[in-house]
Amino acid sequence: MAVNIVIADDHKMVREGLKCLLELDKAYNVVGEAGDGYECLDVVSKTNPDIIIMDINMPNLDGLQTLKIMRQENINKKVIMVTLYDDVDYLIKALDYKCNGYVLKNSDFSILKDAIDSVEKNEIYVEPSLTVMLNSSLARRDVKKSMIDSLTKRELEILKLIAQGLLNKEIAAMLNISERTVKNHISNIFKKIDVSDRTQAAVFAIKNGIVEIK
């Protein structure tokens, strides 16, 4: 039985090219196309595909946002993300949103076919050229998670306030503790997250989602 596929990409020529290549093989059947995330959600609901091949960078609603909505709404279709950019942060975010495959657009068509076949077997497929970067990035993320986990509840509170630009005196007043205690906590925080000043601590907090600056 053929694998039913929806292609979501804002470039019509890309969609048509992929469709022609895929349908040269009777194992694949393109049942729908979409030019942005909103159209993709609509097409998926109407065609009930096995796999969605979706570009990350689309107008109106991009691929990552579309994937996130699908998972939030329990649309558990298998999704292969495709992109021009070998940015590991995109890859990690896509995996966090439970994509099933990740392929670069400048790869050989055989790579996409490998991805489709792997995903159809309920395997996760990541472009081979990205696996080294992915493993390295995940290792760094594990180290940072370990650093964050080492912080006490009070240290996390103070780190958030540092990131918000508060001075020691203001932190002490807000938490009803002495400035000396604040300084001791900050010294411990710097050691645990391996930074040497307040600016670096604030950047660490923002980059790792400990605090959001609006």
Side-chain angles (χ1 to χ4, degrees):
M1 185 179 294
V3 178
N4 291 324
I5 297 171
V6 162
I7 301 171
D9 192 294
D10 57 316
H11 294 98
K12 186 176 181 180
M13 191 177 294
V14 171
R15 297 197 306 270
E16 291 179 348
L18 275 179
K19 180 178 180 180
C20 288
L21 286 170
L22 287 167
E23 292 191 336
L24 287 173
D25 189 328
K26 292 183 179 179
Y28 311 121
N29 179 36
V30 177
V31 296
E33 299 177 32
D36 65 26
Y38 292 114
E39 190 176 1
C40 179
L41 292 170
D42 183 54
V43 171
V44 167
S45 69
K46 292 176 179 176
T47 60
N48 192 32
D50 300 304
I51 292 176
I52 304 157
I53 298 173
M54 183 158 55
D55 187 14
I56 281 183
N57 297 291
M58 297 187 294
N60 304 319
L61 190 69
D62 67 31
L64 288 175
Q65 293 169 321
T66 306
L67 178 60
K68 184 178 181 180
I69 290 171
M70 285 182 176
R71 298 320 185 212
Q72 288 173 338
E73 296 184 356
N74 294 316
I75 303 171
N76 296 315
K77 298 298 178 183
K78 295 170 183 174
V79 177
I80 298 172
M81 306 299 296
V82 293
T83 180
L84 284 171
Y85 309 109
D86 59 352
D87 187 325
V88 74
D89 290 335
Y90 276 129
L91 170 55
I92 289 175
K93 187 167 285 189
L95 291 172
D96 284 343
Y97 291 161
K98 295 182 173 58
C99 80
N100 305 90
Y102 195 95
V103 173
L104 296 176
K105 278 189 171 182
N106 59 4
S107 300
D108 291 339
F109 181 63
S110 61
I111 294 287
L112 180 60
K113 289 182 70 174
D114 287 345
I116 294 170
D117 295 343
S118 296
V119 167
E120 181 63 13
K121 297 173 187 172
N122 295 316
E123 298 171 357
I124 301 296
Y125 184 94
V126 174
E127 170 94 24
S129 65
L130 295 175
T131 54
V132 173
M133 284 195 300
L134 175 62
N135 290 335
S136 176
S137 182
L138 289 176
R140 290 195 301 272
R141 190 163 75 162
D142 285 345
V143 169
K144 289 179 179 178
K145 183 178 184 303
S146 177
M147 289 177 174
I148 295 168
D149 289 344
S150 72
L151 296 171
T152 66
K153 184 178 178 180
R154 178 64 87 188
E155 287 166 352
L156 275 171
E157 281 183 304
I158 291 174
L159 179 55
K160 289 177 183 178
L161 295 175
I162 290 172
Q164 291 169 11
L166 273 67
L167 302 175
N168 288 2
K169 183 177 181 180
E170 294 170 319
I171 294 172
M174 181 171 288
L175 300 180
N176 197 27
I177 56 179
S178 69
E179 282 190 61
R180 183 187 180 107
T181 300
V182 172
K183 288 180 181 178
N184 288 338
H185 280 308
I186 291 175
S187 177
N188 289 334
I189 291 168
F190 286 3
K191 288 176 184 176
K192 289 182 178 181
I193 65 174
D194 193 26
V195 300
S196 58
D197 59 44
R198 299 173 81 92
T199 300
Q200 291 177 1
V203 170
F204 179 93
I206 294 166
K207 278 189 172 182
N208 290 284
I210 293 172
V211 65
E212 294 182 6
I213 301 299
K214 297 180 180 179

